[in-house]
Amino acid sequence: MSEDCIFCKIAAGEIPSNKVYEDGEVYAFHDIHPAAPVHFMIVPKEHIASLAHAHARHEALLGRILLLAPILAKGQGLGGGFRTIINTGRGGGQEVMHLHVHILGGGAPRPM
Ligand code: 5GP
Ligand code: ZN
């Protein structure tokens, strides 16, 4: 846990959030400023600043997060599909420096 990290505090239940899912390693919650009709994020409970800060020992954890994405998305009504975004670093538009996977859906996605 990083003392000054807002997502660490959310994952620890110290800051309220609209929770989607929780287990021992992972926490998922709705984005406070949704960019789509459904927009939530999946984060590891361990503080990993970004994808660029992940190590080989995080391989299983990252795999679990990706495998959870379609399961949680379906639970949020996104059985027909969803967009997955991981912003990495300032150059990637990352604002909160705690690794998070955005899951967006429920609207008409812009082509990429
Ligand atoms: P990033 O730009 O770092 O990939 O995404 C950070 C996301 O976190 C943004 O979409 C922003 O709306 C969301 N966010 C920032 N602070 C909070 C918060 O306190 N609670 C929740 N639920 N979302 C937050
Ligand atoms: Zn953190």
Side-chain angles (χ1 to χ4, degrees):
M1 165 123 179
S2 174
E3 292 300 328
D4 56 356
C5 173
I6 191 166
F7 283 5
C8 278
K9 290 179 178 162
I10 287 174
E14 293 175 9
I15 291 177
S17 67
N18 187 358
K19 183 166 82 173
V20 169
Y21 172 83
E22 178 175 17
D23 64 30
E25 295 181 315
V26 174
Y27 193 90
F29 58 106
H30 288 279
D31 198 293
I32 203 166
H33 297 303
V38 178
H39 181 181
F40 64 95
M41 294 175 281
I42 311 175
V43 305
K45 287 189 170 179
E46 177 182 344
H47 179 81
I48 304 170
S50 81
L51 198 56
H53 294 79
H55 298 289
R57 68 182 171 84
H58 296 121
E59 186 174 341
L61 176 60
L62 294 175
R64 281 204 60 230
I65 288 173
L66 288 181
L67 289 172
L68 267 171
I71 296 168
L72 300 185
K74 191 173 181 185
Q76 296 300 309
L78 302 180
F82 57 90
R83 178 163 281 168
T84 310
I85 297 174
I86 305 174
N87 295 325
T88 301
R90 300 294 175 209
Q94 185 178 2
E95 292 179 352
V96 176
M97 294 305 289
H98 178 127
L99 174 61
H100 50 281
V101 177
H102 293 269
I103 307 292
L104 303 105
R110 275 176 290 150
M112 297 194 79

